[in-house]
Amino acid sequence: MRFLMVNTIFKYALSLLLITVQGNTCSGDSKCDGIVTMPLLDGMKATLKADLDVRNMNDHLKTYISSEIKKGFENAMNDVMKQIVNKGLEEINATIIEAIQENLPEKGVTYIRWGRKDCPAGADIVYTGQVSGNDYRNTGGGVNNLCLPNNPENGQHQSYTNDQVYGGEYRLTSSVKPSGWSESLNQKEIPCSVCYQQRRSAVLMIPGRKTCYKGWNSEYHGYLMSDHKTHHRRDYACVDINAEPLDNLNGGASGALFYPLRTNCGSLRCPPYTDSVDVFCVVCTK
């Protein structure tokens, strides 16, 4: 638009200059320089005419034209620079996204699926194993649960006494078990699996829920379990809702015991929680 206006100005200026050349009738007097004689009634046989002094007009036109050309050039250059910058940013963003997408398959998170020998759909199995931990009667040592692989590389026999690595067992009875679970799991050893989920950067176990929050992906959900409150403290574990036994062998050897938990209102606010109910849990990734 601006270039069209500049073009119009050029044409108008040329027409004035043409008038100056063709219409000047003064001669022999320096005062006539820049004087244009123009008919007042164009195309009619009349002698009425006027002398116009256009000496300053050309200077003003030149200045104006120069200014408009400069503005047009600056605007054009600004548009070009914006296009270059925008294109550059688009190319940079595309390169970053491509690099991220190329490296995503190499990134991921691991988590333990307690109570199952397999991993959820879409996750890779790193290894399967048996739940382990400290004996419930020990007053010292570790309190966290372990997932021991089924193909260990065993160390040398030792005579010192500091045994803390025991198998984990379900402790369920007809009156003490999560809803939907079978009493047949009682005193059975607990399996576990270590799972790897690609294209994720964070893993989170949320107690008190069976669904993940918006933007997070559910790996599995289940019930929160730990040792009995009369025993020595141990870590909490989110045991899969579809828990299974490690094998069909008879249990009852004790060791690291897993009891279902329930809520107790008071210091725990009810609502939103409910008194004396199972505690759900869910493992989420993002």
Side-chain angles (χ1 to χ4, degrees):
M1 182 69 184
R2 185 173 292 276
F3 286 111
L4 292 175
M5 184 170 65
V6 172
N7 188 38
T8 303
I9 294 170
F10 268 121
K11 290 182 180 180
Y12 179 66
L14 289 174
S15 67
L16 288 178
L17 292 174
L18 184 60
I19 291 172
T20 303
V21 174
Q22 293 180 347
N24 193 347
T25 58
C26 289
S27 60
D29 189 351
S30 60
K31 292 182 179 180
C32 292
D33 292 342
I35 300 299
V36 176
T37 300
M38 297 182 64
L40 295 182
L41 299 175
D42 190 18
M44 300 182 66
K45 294 180 180 180
T47 59
L48 187 61
K49 60 184 178 179
D51 292 335
L52 302 176
D53 190 347
V54 295
R55 280 174 295 187
N56 294 327
M57 186 179 295
N58 287 337
D59 292 337
H60 289 304
L61 280 174
K62 289 179 182 178
T63 302
Y64 179 70
I65 291 170
S66 176
S67 175
E68 291 301 311
I69 291 175
K70 183 179 179 181
K71 289 179 182 178
F73 178 77
E74 289 177 351
N75 290 337
M77 287 302 297
N78 287 336
D79 291 340
V80 171
M81 290 303 297
K82 287 179 182 178
Q83 293 176 7
I84 292 174
V85 171
N86 290 336
K87 185 177 180 180
L89 289 175
E90 290 176 359
E91 292 179 352
I92 291 172
N93 289 337
T95 301
I96 293 174
I97 292 173
E98 183 180 357
I100 292 174
Q101 290 176 342
E102 288 179 354
N103 290 315
L104 273 178
E106 301 175 4
K107 308 299 180 182
V109 295
T110 59
Y111 60 87
I112 298 174
R113 189 183 192 187
W114 305 101
R116 295 289 301 185
K117 292 178 278 189
D118 57 354
C119 290
D124 299 328
I125 294 181
V126 180
Y127 68 86
T128 59
Q130 177 180 358
V131 173
S132 172
N134 205 346
D135 188 275
Y136 75 98
R137 291 161 292 198
N138 287 344
T139 58
V143 296
N144 58 303
N145 302 305
L146 303 174
C147 184
L148 295 179
N150 289 330
N151 55 341
E153 297 172 339
N154 295 308
Q156 296 180 350
H157 178 74
Q158 300 294 340
S159 59
Y160 59 81
T161 57
N162 189 26
D163 19 332
Q164 294 188 42
V165 182
Y166 293 79
E169 292 184 353
Y170 297 108
R171 278 296 188 266
L172 307 170
T173 64
S174 58
S175 59
V176 183
K177 64 182 180 62
S179 300
W181 277 19
S182 171
E183 190 181 346
S184 63
L185 288 173
N186 186 40
Q187 295 189 345
K188 295 289 187 181
E189 277 69 34
I190 308 170
C192 57
S193 57
V194 176
C195 306
Y196 175 72
Q197 183 62 268
Q198 291 185 344
R199 298 180 177 87
R200 305 287 164 78
S201 59
V203 59
L204 174 68
M205 190 277 281
I206 305 177
R209 288 185 63 89
K210 58 181 178 180
T211 59
C212 297
Y213 289 105
K214 184 178 180 181
W216 290 78
N217 306 282
S218 176
E219 297 296 323
Y220 76 91
H221 74 279
Y223 291 105
L224 201 63
M225 301 187 76
S226 185
D227 214 326
H228 196 273
K229 66 179 183 179
T230 60
H231 299 162
H232 298 291
R233 292 178 179 175
R234 64 179 311 99
D235 200 2
Y236 294 105
C238 185
V239 181
D240 196 278
I241 191 74
N242 297 309
E244 60 183 342
L246 177 68
D247 48 41
N248 294 322
L249 300 178
N250 292 326
S254 296
L257 307 181
F258 280 64
Y259 287 83
L261 312 178
R262 71 175 192 176
T263 56
N264 185 291
C265 291
S267 55
L268 179 66
R269 292 295 180 262
C270 301
Y273 290 92
T274 304
D275 191 41
S276 301
V277 297
D278 298 322
V279 182
F280 287 117
C281 57
V282 60
V283 173
C284 309
T285 57
K286 184 177 183 180

